[in-house]
Amino acid sequence: MNCPREYGSDQQRRTYINSHMSELHPVMKKLRQLMETHPRGFIMSDPNPIMVLSNMLKLAAVKKCIEVGVFTGYSSLAWALSIPEDGKVVACDISTEFTDIGKPFWKEAGVDHKIDLRIAPAVDTLQSLIDAGESGTFDFIYVDGDKLNADVIYELSLKLLRTNGIIAFDNSFMHGHLLKPEEKDERQDVSVIRKLNVKIQQDSRVTAVMLDVADGVYVCGKN
């Protein structure tokens, strides 16, 4: 007997999925509540993919992480909570304007000692880690910022990741723009991610799958 493939509307699925997710860590919940009234609060990562990736970190016994694009540190907090006491998150951002909001929450959760905040262009920070001899030593890299340099960040990340390490790109749908045909006057950041998505799919150096959660997350395991 053939079963009909009817999965409900996108909104129905997302509502159902979010209503069946485990409770957030209390400090993560407090940070989300604070940002609900912030003018830029909509930038904060969706809790669903962050929980999916947090589970991956625990299952893979991840210890060394990099995050590109910290904002108020919600996802940095999630990674720090998911790794051992001697783990490290190198958190890359270009300004302390928003990271200063999140730092007290890192401390409240007791994980501030695990987060190494680097205020500099991400490309420079990643290259400095390579220059310091840390190639092939990181387990997980999360990219949620600096879209215009995404291809360079991808290449540097592959150098820094160990074999079977994971790099995850948030916004792989680019707010739905990449679900449509390319436009003549397409925004530069959209065009960069469109090309990177194609590159990743064809790249024999990784095994990649795009997750249909929030704005899309492209998860790549280094071969």
Side-chain angles (χ1 to χ4, degrees):
M1 184 177 74
N2 292 327
C3 295
R5 286 181 169 270
E6 174 53 58
Y7 301 131
S9 70
D10 182 69
Q11 185 58 50
Q12 286 174 323
R13 290 198 306 274
R14 293 188 189 282
T15 299
Y16 187 80
I17 289 168
N18 290 335
S19 67
H20 288 78
M21 186 173 68
S22 295
E23 282 291 318
L24 297 176
H25 185 281
V27 180
M28 293 180 68
K29 192 171 184 178
K30 281 178 67 175
L31 179 52
R32 288 203 72 84
Q33 289 170 341
L34 173 69
M35 293 307 296
E36 284 175 2
T37 58
H38 194 281
R40 302 287 288 172
F42 64 92
I43 295 177
M44 180 177 280
S45 296
D46 188 276
N48 191 283
I50 297 302
M51 189 168 287
V52 171
L53 293 171
S54 294
N55 283 342
M56 286 186 185
L57 266 62
K58 294 171 186 175
L59 289 168
V62 164
K63 288 183 69 173
K64 289 183 71 177
C65 310
I66 297 171
E67 175 168 79
V68 175
V70 178
F71 189 44
T72 57
Y74 176 77
S75 46
S76 301
L77 175 57
W79 317 143
L81 287 166
S82 302
I83 59 178
E85 272 301 302
D86 59 345
K88 176 173 75 170
V89 180
V90 177
C92 309
D93 212 297
I94 57 171
S95 169
T96 59
E97 178 183 358
F98 297 113
T99 59
D100 282 350
I101 295 174
K103 286 171 74 174
F105 292 88
W106 299 345
K107 186 174 182 62
E108 182 179 349
V111 296
D112 54 318
H113 63 286
K114 301 183 192 179
I115 302 174
D116 177 9
L117 180 62
R118 309 277 185 100
I119 302 299
V123 169
D124 293 349
T125 297
L126 298 182
Q127 186 60 56
S128 72
L129 292 170
I130 293 169
D131 295 343
E134 295 198 58
S135 294
T137 67
F138 283 86
D139 305 301
F140 173 74
I141 300 175
Y142 179 69
V143 184
D144 189 23
D146 201 1
K147 300 291 193 272
L148 293 179
N149 287 310
D151 187 83
V152 178
I153 289 168
Y154 175 64
E155 293 297 334
L156 293 173
S157 295
L158 286 178
K159 292 180 181 179
L160 287 162
L161 278 178
R162 63 169 172 80
T163 300
N164 295 325
I166 298 167
I167 178 170
F169 284 90
D170 198 9
N171 307 118
S172 55
F173 299 159
M174 285 301 285
H175 309 290
H177 288 288
L178 298 186
L179 307 180
K180 306 170 187 175
E182 185 174 358
E183 298 175 356
K184 195 185 309 184
D185 57 347
E186 191 163 74
R187 276 189 357 232
Q188 189 178 358
D189 58 341
V190 174
S191 179
V192 168
I193 302 303
R194 187 186 295 277
K195 290 173 183 174
L196 179 61
N197 284 351
V198 173
K199 176 179 177 175
I200 289 172
Q201 192 273 326
Q202 298 173 349
D203 193 347
S204 61
R205 296 173 296 173
V206 298
T207 300
V209 60
M210 193 175 290
L211 304 182
D212 182 13
V213 289
D215 192 32
V217 180
Y218 215 166
V219 179
C220 317
K222 180 180 175 180
N223 295 332

